[in-house]
Amino acid sequence: MRKAICFDVGGTFIKHAVIDEEGKVYDFGKTPTPKANIRSEIVLLIQSIANKSKETHLIEGIGISSCGIVDKKNGRILVSANIPDYSGFEIVREVENATDLSVLLENDVRAACLGERWKGIAKKSDHIVMITLGTGIGSGIIANGKLVEGEHGLAGEFGHMIISINGEPCPCGMKGCYERYASTSAFISQYCHAANIAPYPNKISGETIMELVRKRDSIAVSVYEQYLEYVVTGLVNIAHSINPEIILIGGGISEQGEHFISSIRSLFKKRAMKVYQDYTRIDIPSLGNLSGLAGAGYLVLSQDVMKGM
């Protein structure tokens, strides 16, 4: 059975697992993302885990799902807001040199989108959009069964579509970006502003606010209802422009489960054109922490697993 060792590199944790060509997961684990000597420590970590995996598995190659904007053709991280000194890192070359295995790199949300299509809730669907609502908004598109990459591999940055002209400044240099209104960090900022409190000294989180929503706190409920409008504004734009069969919403806020997704579905039906209401399914990824790892495994093993897609 052919297998890949897969890594999902995030700002907080690096998850890893061995995945075979049928999608079975072995030896799942996670470790905190290094905070110093980032590049060398990530390579040493991957090398150590890969060497251990090779003792018990026949490893075909390494798949890396990573946060940030990636240049998969040249195997490097173009831009990363979540890991210091990660931008510009030629991760593929460094890991290949350290492990003597071939390495394939993909953005984490695109990899998760592939994973959900291979073994998750979007299995067999040919038209998929996945977004994650976190510190920012990540996204991936599958159209006609293939990942949409664009001319330079930069397609699908929905977090930076403009939903408010001359709106809030975004670190990308523009104003009014979707992620400045619909990310989890935006949700926290909106609540703190409405409640007239400082966000970080008080350690306010999305879960903290949602607990207040469940208790029917008037400020929290008002902010949450406005936040849902922001999220759905982006979903309507995506549906009208891409016409996906399914839109998957991941990230911290999606962990609220049915309460969150049912509110999104209801509001989407009020805001989208009728024909898109009928043909757009909105759901939560089913693989959880394994979505990105599954997608990374699919990249490495795709010549054989494609038969099951």
Side-chain angles (χ1 to χ4, degrees), residues 214-290:
R214 287 188 285 271
K215 293 178 179 178
R216 304 305 297 170
D217 175 88
S218 60
I219 295 176
V221 169
S222 176
V223 169
Y224 181 58
E225 289 176 349
Q226 180 61 67
Y227 173 73
L228 292 176
E229 291 279 4
Y230 289 137
V231 173
V232 169
T233 295
L235 299 186
V236 170
N237 287 338
I238 290 168
H240 288 178
S241 58
I242 305 296
N243 186 208
E245 175 186 349
I246 182 170
I247 299 176
L248 298 176
I249 306 175
I253 192 73
S254 71
E255 294 175 6
Q256 297 299 316
E258 189 58 34
H259 176 267
F260 172 73
I261 205 68
S262 61
S263 297
I264 291 292
R265 289 173 182 145
S266 176
L267 193 54
F268 180 84
K269 286 187 176 296
K270 295 179 181 178
R271 301 288 179 259
M273 293 170 59
K274 180 65 168 64
V275 66
Y276 293 94
Q277 297 171 25
D278 296 338
Y279 291 114
T280 309
R281 175 183 163 201
I282 299 174
D283 225 317
I284 296 172
S286 62
L287 297 180
N289 283 336
L290 298 177

Side-chain angles (χ1 to χ4, degrees), residues 1-7 17-22 58-65 72 92 95-96 101-106 111 114-115 118 292-306:
M1 179 72 70
R2 297 170 61 242
K3 299 173 183 177
I5 175 71
C6 303
F7 297 87
V18 173
I19 297 179
D20 69 24
E21 57 196 337
E22 294 181 352
L58 180 60
I59 301 297
E60 183 87 3
I62 294 175
I64 299 176
S65 158
K72 60 187 294 185
V92 167
V95 172
E96 285 183 338
L101 289 168
S102 62
V103 178
L104 290 174
L105 172 69
E106 185 54 90
L114 284 171
W118 181 30
L293 292 171
Y298 172 77
L299 287 172
V300 175
L301 303 169
S302 60
Q303 295 307 306
D304 278 0
V305 304
M306 201 173 290

Side-chain angles (χ1 to χ4, degrees), residues 153-166:
L154 304 177
E157 281 294 326
F158 291 124
H160 299 287
M161 63 183 174
I162 307 300
I163 67 166
S164 178
I165 296 174
N166 296 320

Side-chain angles (χ1 to χ4, degrees), residues 58-110:
L58 180 60
I59 301 297
E60 183 87 3
I62 294 175
I64 299 176
S65 158
S66 177
C67 62
I69 299 175
V70 308
D71 175 0
K72 60 187 294 185
K73 181 178 179 181
N74 295 301
R76 63 193 179 107
I77 309 300
L78 289 176
V79 178
S80 174
N82 297 326
I83 303 178
D85 195 34
Y86 196 50
S87 299
F89 182 25
E90 295 184 355
I91 189 170
V92 167
R93 177 175 62 83
E94 296 292 337
V95 172
E96 285 183 338
N97 288 341
T99 62
D100 293 323
L101 289 168
S102 62
V103 178
L104 290 174
L105 172 69
E106 185 54 90
N107 164 266
D108 53 356
V109 185
R110 291 183 182 180

Side-chain angles (χ1 to χ4, degrees), residues 13-79:
F13 290 101
I14 297 177
K15 298 185 285 290
H16 56 88
V18 173
I19 297 179
D20 69 24
E21 57 196 337
E22 294 181 352
K24 185 176 179 180
V25 177
Y26 308 80
D27 307 334
F28 172 81
K30 67 178 183 178
T31 186
T33 303
K35 302 302 180 185
N37 303 315
I38 305 295
R39 300 185 184 195
S40 60
E41 288 298 318
I42 286 177
V43 172
L44 287 172
L45 175 65
I46 291 176
Q47 180 186 41
S48 174
I49 294 170
N51 286 342
K52 185 176 181 180
S53 296
K54 286 192 286 187
E55 294 175 2
T56 52
H57 301 282
L58 180 60
I59 301 297
E60 183 87 3
I62 294 175
I64 299 176
S65 158
S66 177
C67 62
I69 299 175
V70 308
D71 175 0
K72 60 187 294 185
K73 181 178 179 181
N74 295 301
R76 63 193 179 107
I77 309 300
L78 289 176
V79 178

